[in-house]
Amino acid sequence: MKSNILIIGAGFAGVWSALSAARLLDQAGRDDVRISVLAPQPELRIRPRFYEADVHSMKAPLGELFEAVGIHFIQGSADTIDAQGRSVSYTDNHGQLQRITYDRLILAAGSQVARPAVPGLVEYAFDVDQMESAMRLEQHLVALASRPESPARNTVVVCGGGFTGIETATEMPARLRSVLGEQASLRVLVIDRGATVGGALGAGITPSIVAACEQAGVQWLTGSSVVAVDAGGVTLDNGEYVASHTVIWTVGVKASPLTAQIAGERDSLGRLRVDEHLKVIGQSHIYATGDTAWAAVDDLGNHALMTCQHAIPMGRHSGNNAAADLLELQPVAYRQPKYVTCLDLGEWGAAFTEGWERELKLQGLEGKHLKRQINSVWIYPPAADRTQALAAADPLIPVV
């Protein structure tokens, strides 16, 4: 019977884990190990683009790619991880309960938007966290045109002024104009608990955020929090009420709840602490990668963020190292000392920074050109060509 490397999740970290494990098995000439990917759909959903329009197109099929490199896909959703018995119970695409055993497990189940106990949040707020919820928002925006003209109809409230909130807000005026017309009186308001506009992203990038928001007419209400959401708008912590038919929640993310089923140390986001090879500390057969992993990127105290920038190279390492562990080969230490950001800022352009202090390198249209290249080319999986795909999965490729 073949050994089994089981990967939960087909996001950036899951896809690249599978490809990297396949690469090492190919190099070792081993055909006695199966790589299985368990996920709800055989597609990579391009989550970093869910703030854009046409969300339904933000995906890349994986069937031909997995077939080309010999990866077994299982359509289903993981329910229970039994670390002692080395098995995972899941619900398949027919709604039936199934169970699969593993020799090495790679948890690449991603993350989800954090939903605190704010009254009305679940019932009335939208988000751009998953494809289904982003499509629900898009359908809602289109339907606004059929509603009577009112300030509430024409007002979008974005809760949270972090990366996702800013990209969503600066894209929103163009999206609204395409629905409500060029002459519509629009209001896009970002509500953020921070003291300054874009303060969470640092001083280097703030001027670009301010300029883009001024051009787009995006307003900020800083030093404020939303304490309740209802069908007509939001209530702020100072008692003020903002009327809006479109409230979008972007305040923070947390690791997949599956992480709670694995014994180990976690950070405040629920991510499992891993060693330099991305093995969960305290576990012999389980690796965590991408948004489920609390992983050091350097020796200076910096840790990977919940972004595809980190998930892709982490996947290349976790897949390689899980296979190396099984084959008793030398693993490769994960390190990613270079950190960059590329923040989309709507029609104004984008801002590209380098370093953890986010030193501005490109902005405006130059930054936008780079952002489009990242979003449309760099973060997509390789073509369904075995040689090219395996070469692209090398963990020693220099990473950004």
Side-chain angles (χ1 to χ4, degrees):
M1 179 180 292
K2 287 188 175 184
S3 300
N4 189 35
I5 298 173
L6 176 61
I7 301 165
I8 299 178
F12 294 104
V15 168
W16 286 101
S17 289
L19 294 176
S20 188
R23 173 186 173 275
L24 191 63
L25 293 175
D26 181 75
Q27 287 188 337
R30 297 286 290 268
D31 61 2
D32 58 339
V33 179
R34 167 177 277 192
I35 301 167
S36 302
V37 174
L38 171 63
Q41 308 88 15
E43 60 192 26
L44 172 61
R45 295 185 164 188
I46 313 301
R47 190 181 181 196
R49 299 187 64 182
F50 287 174
Y51 63 91
E52 300 180 43
D54 299 321
V55 178
H56 65 279
S57 66
M58 309 301 182
K59 57 188 178 183
L62 296 172
E64 291 184 3
L65 173 61
F66 282 178
E67 184 178 352
V69 297
I71 294 166
H72 176 59
F73 179 76
I74 304 169
Q75 190 164 4
S77 298
D79 300 313
T80 306
I81 298 172
D82 178 2
Q84 289 294 110
R86 295 196 213 173
S87 69
V88 172
S89 298
Y90 67 96
T91 303
D92 69 18
N93 59 321
H94 300 295
Q96 300 298 309
L97 295 179
Q98 306 287 351
R99 178 175 168 272
I100 184 173
T101 60
Y102 64 81
D103 295 275
R104 297 296 182 274
L105 175 67
I106 302 176
L107 183 60
S111 60
Q112 58 192 42
V113 66
R115 294 182 176 87
V118 174
L121 174 61
V122 173
E123 296 87 348
Y124 300 108
F126 297 89
D127 64 69
V128 294
D129 185 56
Q130 304 296 324
M131 176 168 280
E132 290 79 8
S133 59
M135 288 175 64
R136 175 173 163 261
L137 170 62
E138 186 160 33
Q139 292 163 359
H140 167 81
L141 293 175
V142 171
L144 288 176
S146 64
R147 299 191 182 191
E149 170 87 22
S150 71
R153 183 199 75 162
N154 292 5
T155 297
V156 172
V157 172
V158 177
C159 307
F163 210 95
T164 301
I166 292 169
E167 292 196 322
T168 301
T170 52
E171 188 77 8
M172 192 54 61
R175 296 183 68 178
L176 288 173
R177 286 196 303 271
S178 70
V179 173
L180 302 178
E182 293 293 329
Q183 304 307 314
S185 178
L186 307 175
R187 186 187 188 198
V188 177
L189 176 65
V190 178
I191 298 175
D192 187 58
R193 68 183 60 182
T196 59
V197 172
L201 300 185
I205 204 170
T206 297
S208 297
I209 298 170
V210 170
C213 288
E214 288 180 349
Q215 178 177 302
V218 174
Q219 302 171 358
W220 282 68
L221 189 58
T222 57
S224 298
S225 298
V226 171
V227 297
V229 185
D230 59 40
V234 298
T235 302
L236 306 183
D237 52 358
N238 64 358
E240 181 183 349
Y241 187 81
V242 180
S244 171
H245 291 168
T246 310
V247 178
I248 306 173
W249 189 263
T250 71
V251 186
V253 293
K254 60 181 180 180
S256 164
L258 290 173
T259 57
Q261 299 187 28
I262 298 172
E265 184 181 357
R266 295 168 184 77
D267 69 356
S268 61
L269 302 176
R271 300 182 298 179
L272 289 158
R273 188 179 179 191
V274 295
D275 63 19
E276 65 178 0
H277 302 133
L278 303 183
K279 181 181 284 188
V280 176
I281 294 177
Q283 297 291 336
S284 299
H285 307 98
I286 301 178
Y287 293 75
T289 190
D291 290 359
T292 67
W294 179 19
V297 297
D298 55 30
D299 297 322
L300 303 176
N302 296 308
H303 290 78
L305 301 181
M306 290 177 166
T307 65
C308 61
Q309 174 186 179
H310 288 122
I312 292 172
M314 288 173 75
R316 289 187 180 120
H317 284 77
S318 54
N320 177 89
N321 292 342
D325 193 19
L326 197 58
L327 302 182
E328 299 184 343
L329 299 175
Q330 190 68 29
V332 178
Y334 167 69
R335 283 294 183 267
Q336 192 173 351
K338 185 175 182 180
Y339 171 64
V340 303
T341 62
C342 197
L343 178 68
D344 203 346
L345 293 169
E347 294 178 324
W348 180 87
F352 175 75
T353 69
E354 292 184 354
W356 290 94
E357 298 301 320
R358 296 195 173 101
E359 181 181 353
L360 187 65
K361 296 295 184 179
L362 295 173
Q363 61 178 324
L365 295 182
E366 278 189 302
K368 191 74 166 186
H369 176 74
L370 179 59
K371 182 66 172 181
R372 285 174 175 157
Q373 189 173 16
I374 292 170
N375 273 6
S376 62
V377 180
W378 293 4
I379 62 177
Y380 278 70
D385 177 275
R386 180 180 178 85
T387 301
Q388 292 182 24
L390 296 183
D394 185 350
L396 296 181
I397 290 176
V399 294
V400 170

